Amino acid sequence: MGLLSSSKGSESSSSLASVGTATLNGAQLTLTLLEKAVDGTNIPFVKGVAGVAVEVIKIAKAIQTNREECDNLMKKATSLLVVILGSLKGKTEDAIPDHLKSAVERLTTSFQEVLAELRIIEKRVGKRSLGGLARAILYYVDNGEKLNDCSAKLDWAMGEFQVTSKVDSCLKDLERHEELKQGQKELREGQEKMDQNIKASRVEIRDGLTEIRDVMKEQIMAKNPQSE
């Protein structure tokens, strides 16, 4: 079974292609499109990382403070999720190599760590009115640092996954190149064998014609002995 189900594949692919534009047009639209894309995912470990990523985006959207840092984190999480879904789109679970599966597992861990931090920040924000202005300012600064750390973690995760995907793509290109070379070799060997068969056929035809000529000559001489 492919990454995108046959019933939802077209809609999910369209949703995925629209996410980048939607990020600029509105967070809620982005979430809607991402959720549609995730719904079309049939591979469990891909659905797992996608689900955590969507949860990260939802909480970052809901936090009412440090909006610049939250928006930045949302964009990074969205971009990373689009890269993941785009890289694995149309593939079956068996067709995904182990090193790429491991990369997705590491991505899941990164998203889970970011999600844990966001839940702490979300809880803090909910209690900010209880601690007075000084605590609110302290939380604001600390939250900003933690959100920036989360963004840096996703940057690193993005880079690692893209490198792994590139390696996978290069390996596939190398395999295709080797297959092409093998195909060319087989074609060349086939052509050589065909040439040999044609050459052998020409010899057989020539020998056959010579034999026919000799037989006809003997017949003629037998009928006209004086021709000697």
Side-chain angles (χ1 to χ4, degrees):
M1 185 177 291
L3 175 62
L4 300 179
S5 66
S6 57
S7 61
K8 296 183 180 179
S10 178
E11 181 181 359
S12 299
S13 299
S14 176
S15 299
L16 185 61
S18 304
V19 168
T21 303
T23 303
L24 302 176
N25 294 338
Q28 188 56 50
L29 180 57
T30 301
L31 273 173
T32 300
L33 293 172
L34 281 174
E35 286 171 338
K36 285 184 179 180
V38 173
D39 283 343
T41 304
N42 295 312
I43 300 177
F45 65 87
V46 177
K47 200 173 189 72
V49 67
V52 180
V54 168
E55 192 65 22
V56 165
I57 296 168
K58 284 181 177 180
I59 295 181
K61 175 178 176 291
I63 293 174
Q64 298 301 312
T65 185
N66 299 92
R67 283 314 314 162
E68 182 178 351
E69 291 87 349
C70 286
D71 288 344
N72 186 45
L73 181 62
M74 286 173 58
K75 289 178 182 178
K76 290 182 184 298
T78 300
S79 297
L80 183 48
L81 182 52
V82 169
V83 168
I84 296 168
L85 296 177
S87 297
L88 302 177
K89 183 176 64 176
K91 294 184 178 180
T92 63
E93 185 171 0
D94 292 339
I96 300 175
D98 289 340
H99 63 273
L100 204 53
K101 291 179 182 178
S102 297
V104 174
E105 290 173 0
R106 291 193 294 274
L107 278 174
T108 304
T109 299
S110 296
F111 271 120
Q112 287 171 338
E113 292 172 352
V114 169
L115 182 59
E117 289 289 352
L118 284 178
R119 283 173 173 160
I120 292 172
I121 293 172
E122 185 181 35
K123 187 178 294 185
R124 277 182 175 180
V125 171
K127 296 180 179 179
R128 68 173 184 256
S129 60
L130 302 177
L133 179 60
R135 176 169 292 185
I137 294 174
L138 180 63
Y139 279 171
Y140 182 87
V141 174
D142 189 55
N143 290 344
E145 292 176 353
K146 288 184 180 300
L147 287 166
N148 287 333
D149 288 343
C150 288
S151 291
K153 184 183 291 291
L154 292 188
D155 277 337
W156 175 266
M158 169 79 88
E160 183 186 26
F161 184 78
Q162 287 180 322
V163 168
T164 304
S165 297
K166 185 65 175 177
V167 169
D168 183 60
S169 176
C170 289
L171 288 174
K172 283 185 171 56
D173 288 343
L174 182 60
E175 289 176 2
R176 284 193 289 268
H177 179 66
E178 291 300 324
E179 290 174 358
L180 179 61
K181 284 176 60 179
Q182 182 63 27
Q184 290 174 335
K185 180 182 177 182
E186 292 175 358
L187 181 62
R188 186 169 59 251
E189 291 173 348
Q191 184 65 49
E192 290 173 355
K193 188 174 182 179
M194 186 182 298
D195 290 343
Q196 291 172 358
N197 291 337
I198 291 174
K199 188 179 295 185
S201 296
R202 286 174 177 171
V203 171
E204 290 178 1
I205 292 171
R206 185 177 66 245
D207 292 344
L209 290 174
T210 300
E211 185 177 349
I212 292 172
R213 185 191 61 194
D214 291 343
V215 170
M216 291 179 66
K217 184 177 179 181
E218 289 176 0
Q219 291 175 346
I220 292 171
M221 290 176 64
K223 291 179 179 181
N224 302 287
Q226 295 180 351
S227 62
E228 295 182 355

